[in-house]
Amino acid sequence: GAGVSQSPSNKVTEKGKDVELRCDPISGHTALYWYRQSLGQGLEFLIYFQGNSAPDKSGLPSDRFSAERTGGSVSTLTIQRTQQEDSAVYLCASSLTAVNEKLFFGSGTQLSVL
Amino acid sequence: DQQVKQNSPSLSVQEGRISILNCDYTNSMFDYFLWYKKYPAEGPTFLISISSIKDKNEDGRFTVFLNKSAKHLSLHIVPSQPGDSAVYFCAAHSTTSGTYKYIFGTGTRLKVLA
């Protein structure tokens, strides 16, 4: 596909369960970002990957959150032992490089923790 | 610490008039700025960007102004159209701080009245 693809588009889970969110970036884009948007809030940076460099994990809110990017392409964001405050839209974006490039966003995954 | 601030959560403008959206930042190392538009249930889409070596960038109906001394940027939309009704986010990025993450503001909801 031509754009950033995220799956699932919606996820409802019970408190305490683990969830995995997937992002397929635009082919050839070396940088990949995860953000989340809680209800009524702005876009909160979580993590970014650039090529083979160590990821910037400075935005991950707790050690229940982790992400990986396999083969420089697909990325998975994992949330362990989900809490109700994790409910948000999780957005993935990619860019050609990490420097002075516009980000292309996917449509997001709406996560609801009951 | 909110490094990028959009102090107006909402703005209403008559169709055909100018819309001015404002954004302030605190980190003097930011040197690249972007504006995004977001419709409900969609990912943000890129509108326009500006590098700190410029003070103005224009693209059709959209113009971004950067005032580095005031750490302030603004987006002007002229003329405003009902289809411009959306949430607008500004974002900032540093090419010299050692991390290339993009920091987003909290957004301004623009409503263009027909």
Side-chain angles (χ1 to χ4, degrees), chain A residues 26-94:
Chain A
I26 293 172
S27 177
H29 280 194
T30 63
L32 186 147
Y33 305 77
W34 284 98
Y35 288 84
R36 76 175 175 182
Q37 185 179 22
S38 302
L39 194 61
Q41 304 297 310
L43 299 177
E44 177 189 5
F45 168 79
L46 296 177
I47 186 171
Y48 92 86
F49 300 87
Q50 166 58 42
N52 295 320
S53 304
D56 180 338
K57 305 179 182 181
S58 60
L60 294 178
S62 78
D63 58 9
R64 296 186 295 104
F65 288 72
S66 63
E68 62 177 22
R69 188 178 185 192
T70 52
S73 181
V74 171
S75 177
T76 303
L77 177 69
T78 301
I79 309 173
Q80 295 179 310
R81 304 180 304 281
T82 52
Q83 303 294 312
Q84 287 184 331
E85 62 262 28
D86 299 335
S87 297
V89 176
Y90 288 81
L91 291 159
C92 175
S94 69

Side-chain angles (χ1 to χ4, degrees), chain B residues 67-85:
Chain B
N67 182 333
K68 290 185 288 292
S69 61
K71 296 192 180 70
H72 177 83
L73 64 156
S74 60
L75 174 69
H76 292 209
I77 307 173
V78 183
S80 301
Q81 299 172 353
D84 296 330
S85 298

Side-chain angles (χ1 to χ4, degrees), chain A residues 35 48 56 58 98 100-101 103, chain B residues 36 43 93 95 99-102:
Chain A
Y35 288 84
Y48 92 86
D56 180 338
S58 60
N100 287 6
E101 291 279 352
L103 306 185
Chain B
Y36 280 79
H93 167 79
T95 59
T99 176
Y100 302 126
K101 61 189 178 187
Y102 291 76

